[in-house]
Amino acid sequence: MILPPQHPLAAGRTTESRLVRAYRGERSDTTPVWFMRQAGRSLPEYRELRVGTRMLDACLDPAMAAEITLQPVRRHRVDAGIFFSDIVVPLKLVGVDVEIQPGRGPVFGRRYADAAAIAELTAIDPASLDERAEPIREAVARTVAELDGIEPATASGASDGSGGATPLIGFAGAPFTLAAYLAEGGPSKDHLAARTLMHADPGAWRALMDWTADLSGRFLRAQVLAGASAAQLFDSWAGALSLGDYERHVAPASARALSHVHDLAYATGDADASGEPATLAVPVVHFGVGTGELLGAMRGVGVDAVGVDYRVPLDVAAERVGAGVPLQGNLDPALLAAPAPVLEDAVRDVLRRGTAAPGHVFNLGHGVPPETDPAVLTRVVELVHEAGA
Ligand code: CP3
């Protein structure tokens, strides 16, 4: 399906942005940069806005979600907004009993770790998300309308005068990461309940994974159709798995989630071999923590770019994912609190190693720690734009 004409990719507003070009494996005037968890507790303007509003209520308030998404773009002049939401929002929307506890994470009213509980959960039709996703569509549309007026920044933070817009990245949780929470009923260290279930009852596991795949896939599709120019699938906890278990019990469901967006395409302006207008699919990035052993397989679920955590240097990651794959990452978030010269050396090292990939999007190896000084993040953006040229 060709994206609607007003979509930023279809209208050509973000098609040549640094971010979208990097995900296509192209280099621009400089290296694009954004940060996982760039919106959130590191920003005083976020903490102020969130007073008295619970996390999931904030996600479902379109004006608030849009404003929170825009805060780090205005402040840091990053090359993309990441939609302010959460991986459990689609579950909440279809009626699952879930809350996000501050300092802890998603907590469910019960655990889904056996066939009976999973049968109850999967009796909910994932398609019911489509009609309930209106707050998401509205928040994305509001955000994109504002981002349309924010041109990419030069190294000094000034607008670059290109007339282009800042792209929005939509996201969803991958089936395993969601199942890790669902099986446990909340956060856990080793995701033991999910890892047991996939072996103890492969049928129930498969049902749970297919269901979460369809729900996450629809959540992602809603964001892209409403205006997101790229999509990131977060399989944050996939690093808990062996390669064999990942390939057998997890990768097929991640591919299924992404099948919900693979048909969404924009015209490149060129003609293909048969003279028809050439199209490209919306770029998809796949990220997980501690996934050094899985990088090749994560690429294999059908993504354009792979996000790398801080444990594997990007030049090593480039070999593991195979030739021609753009990479995203991977400054250790711990370095944000280190003395400036140490941090600057680390940023330059990431940029240098990132040249091993055809396209590089600078990011952290995981989310921004809440106690980070926002001025440091702004400085990192300037340095990446300056040194990444
Ligand atoms: O700026 C962004 O990156 C966009 C927003 C975003 C949030 N959650 C907002 C949020 C994104 C992309 C997510 C995804 C998410 N949620 C993931 C995958 C990314 C990752 O970090 O690996 C996961 C595992 C979750 C589940 C979750 N939600 C956790 C572990 C937590 C943290 C709990 C805490 O308080 O430390 C949340 C809550 C959450 N999601 C917050 C934010 C800004 C903090 C809530 C608050 O500010 O009160």
Side-chain angles (χ1 to χ4, degrees):
M1 174 188 167
I2 297 293
L3 290 166
Q6 69 278 13
H7 188 285
L9 283 174
R13 306 274 304 143
T14 55
T15 326
E16 297 306 315
S17 62
R18 290 173 190 143
L19 183 91
V20 173
R21 292 190 63 187
Y23 290 152
R24 284 202 300 259
E26 298 167 18
R27 296 267 162 187
S28 301
D29 60 325
T30 190
T31 306
V33 48
W34 67 278
F35 304 113
M36 291 184 275
R37 289 281 165 88
Q38 63 190 17
R41 282 170 295 182
S42 67
L43 298 184
E45 58 270 36
Y46 170 83
R47 295 194 298 265
E48 194 181 317
L49 196 62
R50 273 288 315 283
V51 171
T53 309
R54 285 180 306 176
M55 175 62 190
L56 290 177
D57 293 335
C59 294
L60 297 177
D61 174 339
M64 194 179 281
E67 173 58 24
I68 293 172
T69 305
L70 291 160
Q71 284 175 346
V73 182
R74 295 194 199 104
R75 183 194 263 266
H76 303 309
R77 302 306 306 274
V78 277
D79 289 280
I82 171 100
F83 182 52
F84 179 79
S85 195
D86 196 85
I87 57 171
V88 300
V89 164
L91 292 163
K92 178 86 178 173
L93 283 170
V94 298
V96 175
D97 177 7
V98 57
E99 267 311 322
I100 292 183
Q101 291 183 4
R104 194 151 173 241
V107 176
F108 292 84
R110 59 183 290 189
R111 353 179 344 151
Y112 299 91
D114 58 61
I118 290 168
E120 245 182 77
L121 182 69
T122 57
I124 302 173
D125 183 359
S128 66
L129 181 73
D130 296 359
E131 63 201 39
R132 298 178 184 200
E134 197 45 40
I136 302 305
R137 285 188 287 267
E138 192 187 330
V140 169
R142 280 172 181 255
T143 307
V144 168
E146 294 275 334
L147 288 174
D148 213 35
I150 305 182
E151 288 180 347
T154 61
S156 66
S159 296
D160 74 350
S162 65
T166 300
L168 178 69
I169 302 169
F171 76 90
F176 176 74
T177 291
L178 282 171
Y181 284 111
L182 286 161
E184 208 78 45
S188 65
K189 207 161 135 261
D190 301 324
H191 319 297
L192 217 53
R195 283 161 52 214
T196 299
L197 182 62
M198 69 176 67
H199 295 286
D201 191 342
W205 174 253
R206 177 83 196 271
L208 177 63
M209 292 296 274
D210 285 352
W211 184 83
T212 52
D214 288 341
L215 194 67
S216 267
R218 284 173 182 275
F219 180 55
L220 207 51
R221 187 177 181 87
Q223 294 167 62
V224 173
L225 283 174
S229 292
Q232 177 153 323
L233 192 68
F234 278 96
D235 209 352
S236 301
W237 311 141
L241 298 166
S242 68
L243 178 60
D245 281 348
Y246 178 79
E247 287 179 324
R248 181 139 181 256
H249 296 290
V250 170
S254 294
R256 180 172 174 144
L258 293 175
S259 72
H260 288 269
V261 294
H262 274 151
D263 67 309
L264 300 177
Y266 60 99
T268 61
D270 299 325
D272 67 15
S274 55
E276 295 295 312
T279 60
L280 282 169
V282 170
V284 177
V285 196
H286 197 189
F287 169 78
V289 180
T291 51
E293 297 294 323
L294 309 182
L295 288 173
M298 287 179 69
R299 147 79 175 155
V301 306
V303 298
D304 301 280
V306 173
V308 182
D309 90 342
Y310 54 87
R311 292 170 182 85
V312 181
L314 290 180
D315 49 334
V316 177
E319 280 171 30
R320 294 190 186 173
V321 296
V325 182
L327 294 179
Q328 178 171 280
N330 72 343
L331 180 77
D332 185 345
L335 270 294
L336 295 170
V342 177
L343 170 61
E344 286 174 20
D345 278 354
V347 168
R348 289 178 204 278
D349 185 57
V350 168
L351 286 168
R352 228 175 356 252
R353 293 176 188 275
T355 60
H360 175 211
V361 175
F362 191 99
N363 205 310
L364 303 178
H366 199 184
V368 173
E371 56 281 0
T372 302
D373 174 359
V376 171
L377 290 174
T378 307
R379 177 65 195 129
V380 170
V381 173
E382 287 167 358
L383 181 59
V384 170
H385 283 160
E386 197 180 289

PDB file of all heavy atoms in Angstrom, residues 159-183:
ATOM      1  N   SER A 159      18.965  25.990  12.330  1.00  0.00           N
ATOM      2  CA  SER A 159      18.287  25.211  11.294  1.00  0.00           C
ATOM      3  C   SER A 159      19.134  25.219  10.024  1.00  0.00           C
ATOM      4  O   SER A 159      19.832  26.180   9.737  1.00  0.00           O
ATOM      5  CB  SER A 159      16.919  25.822  11.010  1.00  0.00           C
ATOM      6  OG  SER A 159      16.127  25.708  12.174  1.00  0.00           O
ATOM      7  N   ASP A 160      19.076  24.120   9.284  1.00  0.00           N
ATOM      8  CA  ASP A 160      19.979  24.005   8.138  1.00  0.00           C
ATOM      9  C   ASP A 160      19.440  24.640   6.856  1.00  0.00           C
ATOM     10  O   ASP A 160      20.116  24.655   5.834  1.00  0.00           O
ATOM     11  CB  ASP A 160      20.373  22.540   7.898  1.00  0.00           C
ATOM     12  CG  ASP A 160      19.244  21.725   7.277  1.00  0.00           C
ATOM     13  OD1 ASP A 160      18.100  22.233   7.201  1.00  0.00           O
ATOM     14  OD2 ASP A 160      19.504  20.582   6.873  1.00  0.00           O
ATOM     15  N   GLY A 161      18.205  25.151   6.908  1.00  0.00           N
ATOM     16  CA  GLY A 161      17.670  25.855   5.754  1.00  0.00           C
ATOM     17  C   GLY A 161      17.275  24.956   4.594  1.00  0.00           C
ATOM     18  O   GLY A 161      16.981  25.429   3.501  1.00  0.00           O
ATOM     19  N   SER A 162      17.222  23.633   4.838  1.00  0.00           N
ATOM     20  CA  SER A 162      16.925  22.695   3.751  1.00  0.00           C
ATOM     21  C   SER A 162      15.443  22.649   3.413  1.00  0.00           C
ATOM     22  O   SER A 162      15.062  22.142   2.367  1.00  0.00           O
ATOM     23  CB  SER A 162      17.381  21.294   4.160  1.00  0.00           C
ATOM     24  OG  SER A 162      16.605  20.858   5.272  1.00  0.00           O
ATOM     25  N   GLY A 163      14.616  23.149   4.325  1.00  0.00           N
ATOM     26  CA  GLY A 163      13.183  23.069   4.097  1.00  0.00           C
ATOM     27  C   GLY A 163      12.611  21.704   4.431  1.00  0.00           C
ATOM     28  O   GLY A 163      11.411  21.486   4.330  1.00  0.00           O
ATOM     29  N   GLY A 164      13.466  20.768   4.851  1.00  0.00           N
ATOM     30  CA  GLY A 164      12.987  19.430   5.217  1.00  0.00           C
ATOM     31  C   GLY A 164      12.401  19.420   6.620  1.00  0.00           C
ATOM     32  O   GLY A 164      12.561  20.375   7.377  1.00  0.00           O
ATOM     33  N   ALA A 165      11.706  18.333   6.942  1.00  0.00           N
ATOM     34  CA  ALA A 165      11.095  18.191   8.266  1.00  0.00           C
ATOM     35  C   ALA A 165      11.880  17.182   9.086  1.00  0.00           C
ATOM     36  O   ALA A 165      12.621  16.365   8.547  1.00  0.00           O
ATOM     37  CB  ALA A 165       9.654  17.737   8.115  1.00  0.00           C
ATOM     38  N   THR A 166      11.707  17.235  10.403  1.00  0.00           N
ATOM     39  CA  THR A 166      12.292  16.225  11.289  1.00  0.00           C
ATOM     40  C   THR A 166      11.371  15.008  11.320  1.00  0.00           C
ATOM     41  O   THR A 166      10.173  15.146  11.582  1.00  0.00           O
ATOM     42  CB  THR A 166      12.454  16.804  12.716  1.00  0.00           C
ATOM     43  OG1 THR A 166      13.311  17.948  12.642  1.00  0.00           O
ATOM     44  CG2 THR A 166      13.062  15.788  13.660  1.00  0.00           C
ATOM     45  N   PRO A 167      11.913  13.817  11.029  1.00  0.00           N
ATOM     46  CA  PRO A 167      11.058  12.620  11.012  1.00  0.00           C
ATOM     47  C   PRO A 167      10.674  12.132  12.404  1.00  0.00           C
ATOM     48  O   PRO A 167      11.419  12.340  13.363  1.00  0.00           O
ATOM     49  CB  PRO A 167      11.928  11.577  10.306  1.00  0.00           C
ATOM     50  CG  PRO A 167      13.318  12.087  10.340  1.00  0.00           C
ATOM     51  CD  PRO A 167      13.299  13.550  10.609  1.00  0.00           C
ATOM     52  N   LEU A 168       9.528  11.476  12.478  1.00  0.00           N
ATOM     53  CA  LEU A 168       9.092  10.807  13.706  1.00  0.00           C
ATOM     54  C   LEU A 168       9.316   9.305  13.545  1.00  0.00           C
ATOM     55  O   LEU A 168       8.997   8.730  12.507  1.00  0.00           O
ATOM     56  CB  LEU A 168       7.604  11.064  13.964  1.00  0.00           C
ATOM     57  CG  LEU A 168       7.034  10.362  15.211  1.00  0.00           C
ATOM     58  CD1 LEU A 168       7.602  10.981  16.484  1.00  0.00           C
ATOM     59  CD2 LEU A 168       5.514  10.418  15.226  1.00  0.00           C
ATOM     60  N   ILE A 169       9.871   8.685  14.595  1.00  0.00           N
ATOM     61  CA  ILE A 169      10.024   7.229  14.620  1.00  0.00           C
ATOM     62  C   ILE A 169       8.890   6.644  15.458  1.00  0.00           C
ATOM     63  O   ILE A 169       8.678   7.058  16.601  1.00  0.00           O
ATOM     64  CB  ILE A 169      11.390   6.831  15.236  1.00  0.00           C
ATOM     65  CG1 ILE A 169      12.554   7.460  14.458  1.00  0.00           C
ATOM     66  CG2 ILE A 169      11.542   5.310  15.287  1.00  0.00           C
ATOM     67  CD1 ILE A 169      13.914   7.342  15.149  1.00  0.00           C
ATOM     68  N   GLY A 170       8.161   5.726  14.885  1.00  0.00           N
ATOM     69  CA  GLY A 170       7.156   4.986  15.640  1.00  0.00           C
ATOM     70  C   GLY A 170       7.807   3.735  16.209  1.00  0.00           C
ATOM     71  O   GLY A 170       8.873   3.326  15.763  1.00  0.00           O
ATOM     72  N   PHE A 171       7.212   3.109  17.219  1.00  0.00           N
ATOM     73  CA  PHE A 171       7.834   1.904  17.766  1.00  0.00           C
ATOM     74  C   PHE A 171       6.789   0.956  18.343  1.00  0.00           C
ATOM     75  O   PHE A 171       5.647   1.330  18.591  1.00  0.00           O
ATOM     76  CB  PHE A 171       8.859   2.252  18.851  1.00  0.00           C
ATOM     77  CG  PHE A 171       8.213   2.636  20.153  1.00  0.00           C
ATOM     78  CD1 PHE A 171       7.939   1.666  21.119  1.00  0.00           C
ATOM     79  CD2 PHE A 171       7.854   3.939  20.398  1.00  0.00           C
ATOM     80  CE1 PHE A 171       7.317   2.012  22.321  1.00  0.00           C
ATOM     81  CE2 PHE A 171       7.233   4.292  21.587  1.00  0.00           C
ATOM     82  CZ  PHE A 171       6.969   3.334  22.548  1.00  0.00           C
ATOM     83  N   ALA A 172       7.247  -0.257  18.548  1.00  0.00           N
ATOM     84  CA  ALA A 172       6.432  -1.255  19.242  1.00  0.00           C
ATOM     85  C   ALA A 172       7.359  -2.213  19.957  1.00  0.00           C
ATOM     86  O   ALA A 172       8.538  -2.330  19.608  1.00  0.00           O
ATOM     87  CB  ALA A 172       5.553  -2.018  18.245  1.00  0.00           C
ATOM     88  N   GLY A 173       6.845  -2.906  20.947  1.00  0.00           N
ATOM     89  CA  GLY A 173       7.599  -3.959  21.615  1.00  0.00           C
ATOM     90  C   GLY A 173       7.535  -5.216  20.774  1.00  0.00           C
ATOM     91  O   GLY A 173       6.503  -5.536  20.191  1.00  0.00           O
ATOM     92  N   ALA A 174       8.644  -5.945  20.710  1.00  0.00           N
ATOM     93  CA  ALA A 174       8.649  -7.226  20.003  1.00  0.00           C
ATOM     94  C   ALA A 174       7.916  -8.265  20.855  1.00  0.00           C
ATOM     95  O   ALA A 174       7.832  -8.133  22.078  1.00  0.00           O
ATOM     96  CB  ALA A 174      10.084  -7.664  19.742  1.00  0.00           C
ATOM     97  N   PRO A 175       7.387  -9.302  20.208  1.00  0.00           N
ATOM     98  CA  PRO A 175       6.610 -10.302  20.935  1.00  0.00           C
ATOM     99  C   PRO A 175       7.337 -10.885  22.152  1.00  0.00           C
ATOM    100  O   PRO A 175       6.726 -11.042  23.215  1.00  0.00           O
ATOM    101  CB  PRO A 175       6.342 -11.376  19.877  1.00  0.00           C
ATOM    102  CG  PRO A 175       6.352 -10.620  18.591  1.00  0.00           C
ATOM    103  CD  PRO A 175       7.355  -9.524  18.753  1.00  0.00           C
ATOM    104  N   PHE A 176       8.639 -11.181  22.033  1.00  0.00           N
ATOM    105  CA  PHE A 176       9.303 -11.798  23.187  1.00  0.00           C
ATOM    106  C   PHE A 176       9.348 -10.854  24.384  1.00  0.00           C
ATOM    107  O   PHE A 176       9.087 -11.265  25.521  1.00  0.00           O
ATOM    108  CB  PHE A 176      10.730 -12.267  22.859  1.00  0.00           C
ATOM    109  CG  PHE A 176      11.427 -12.797  24.087  1.00  0.00           C
ATOM    110  CD1 PHE A 176      11.078 -14.037  24.608  1.00  0.00           C
ATOM    111  CD2 PHE A 176      12.375 -12.034  24.760  1.00  0.00           C
ATOM    112  CE1 PHE A 176      11.671 -14.512  25.784  1.00  0.00           C
ATOM    113  CE2 PHE A 176      12.969 -12.506  25.927  1.00  0.00           C
ATOM    114  CZ  PHE A 176      12.621 -13.747  26.435  1.00  0.00           C
ATOM    115  N   THR A 177       9.685  -9.595  24.145  1.00  0.00           N
ATOM    116  CA  THR A 177       9.799  -8.664  25.270  1.00  0.00           C
ATOM    117  C   THR A 177       8.436  -8.476  25.941  1.00  0.00           C
ATOM    118  O   THR A 177       8.335  -8.434  27.171  1.00  0.00           O
ATOM    119  CB  THR A 177      10.419  -7.337  24.795  1.00  0.00           C
ATOM    120  OG1 THR A 177      11.791  -7.596  24.467  1.00  0.00           O
ATOM    121  CG2 THR A 177      10.366  -6.259  25.861  1.00  0.00           C
ATOM    122  N   LEU A 178       7.384  -8.399  25.153  1.00  0.00           N
ATOM    123  CA  LEU A 178       6.041  -8.307  25.743  1.00  0.00           C
ATOM    124  C   LEU A 178       5.684  -9.597  26.480  1.00  0.00           C
ATOM    125  O   LEU A 178       5.152  -9.563  27.594  1.00  0.00           O
ATOM    126  CB  LEU A 178       5.012  -8.005  24.655  1.00  0.00           C
ATOM    127  CG  LEU A 178       4.986  -6.540  24.222  1.00  0.00           C
ATOM    128  CD1 LEU A 178       4.117  -6.364  22.995  1.00  0.00           C
ATOM    129  CD2 LEU A 178       4.490  -5.647  25.359  1.00  0.00           C
ATOM    130  N   ALA A 179       6.004 -10.735  25.871  1.00  0.00           N
ATOM    131  CA  ALA A 179       5.685 -12.019  26.503  1.00  0.00           C
ATOM    132  C   ALA A 179       6.478 -12.192  27.795  1.00  0.00           C
ATOM    133  O   ALA A 179       5.998 -12.830  28.745  1.00  0.00           O
ATOM    134  CB  ALA A 179       5.970 -13.175  25.535  1.00  0.00           C
ATOM    135  N   ALA A 180       7.691 -11.623  27.837  1.00  0.00           N
ATOM    136  CA  ALA A 180       8.501 -11.718  29.051  1.00  0.00           C
ATOM    137  C   ALA A 180       7.773 -11.043  30.217  1.00  0.00           C
ATOM    138  O   ALA A 180       7.774 -11.551  31.339  1.00  0.00           O
ATOM    139  CB  ALA A 180       9.879 -11.091  28.828  1.00  0.00           C
ATOM    140  N   TYR A 181       7.130  -9.898  29.943  1.00  0.00           N
ATOM    141  CA  TYR A 181       6.343  -9.222  30.987  1.00  0.00           C
ATOM    142  C   TYR A 181       5.051  -9.986  31.282  1.00  0.00           C
ATOM    143  O   TYR A 181       4.646 -10.145  32.435  1.00  0.00           O
ATOM    144  CB  TYR A 181       5.985  -7.798  30.557  1.00  0.00           C
ATOM    145  CG  TYR A 181       7.144  -6.826  30.647  1.00  0.00           C
ATOM    146  CD1 TYR A 181       7.730  -6.299  29.500  1.00  0.00           C
ATOM    147  CD2 TYR A 181       7.642  -6.412  31.872  1.00  0.00           C
ATOM    148  CE1 TYR A 181       8.785  -5.399  29.573  1.00  0.00           C
ATOM    149  CE2 TYR A 181       8.696  -5.518  31.963  1.00  0.00           C
ATOM    150  CZ  TYR A 181       9.268  -5.008  30.804  1.00  0.00           C
ATOM    151  OH  TYR A 181      10.308  -4.133  30.888  1.00  0.00           O
ATOM    152  N   LEU A 182       4.362 -10.429  30.237  1.00  0.00           N
ATOM    153  CA  LEU A 182       3.067 -11.086  30.412  1.00  0.00           C
ATOM    154  C   LEU A 182       3.203 -12.390  31.193  1.00  0.00           C
ATOM    155  O   LEU A 182       2.413 -12.679  32.095  1.00  0.00           O
ATOM    156  CB  LEU A 182       2.427 -11.361  29.043  1.00  0.00           C
ATOM    157  CG  LEU A 182       1.859 -10.139  28.309  1.00  0.00           C
ATOM    158  CD1 LEU A 182       1.691 -10.435  26.819  1.00  0.00           C
ATOM    159  CD2 LEU A 182       0.526  -9.709  28.924  1.00  0.00           C
ATOM    160  N   ALA A 183       4.202 -13.202  30.855  1.00  0.00           N
ATOM    161  CA  ALA A 183       4.360 -14.505  31.506  1.00  0.00           C
ATOM    162  C   ALA A 183       4.708 -14.327  32.984  1.00  0.00           C
ATOM    163  O   ALA A 183       4.258 -15.086  33.837  1.00  0.00           O
ATOM    164  CB  ALA A 183       5.442 -15.319  30.793  1.00  0.00           C
TER     165      ALA A 183
END
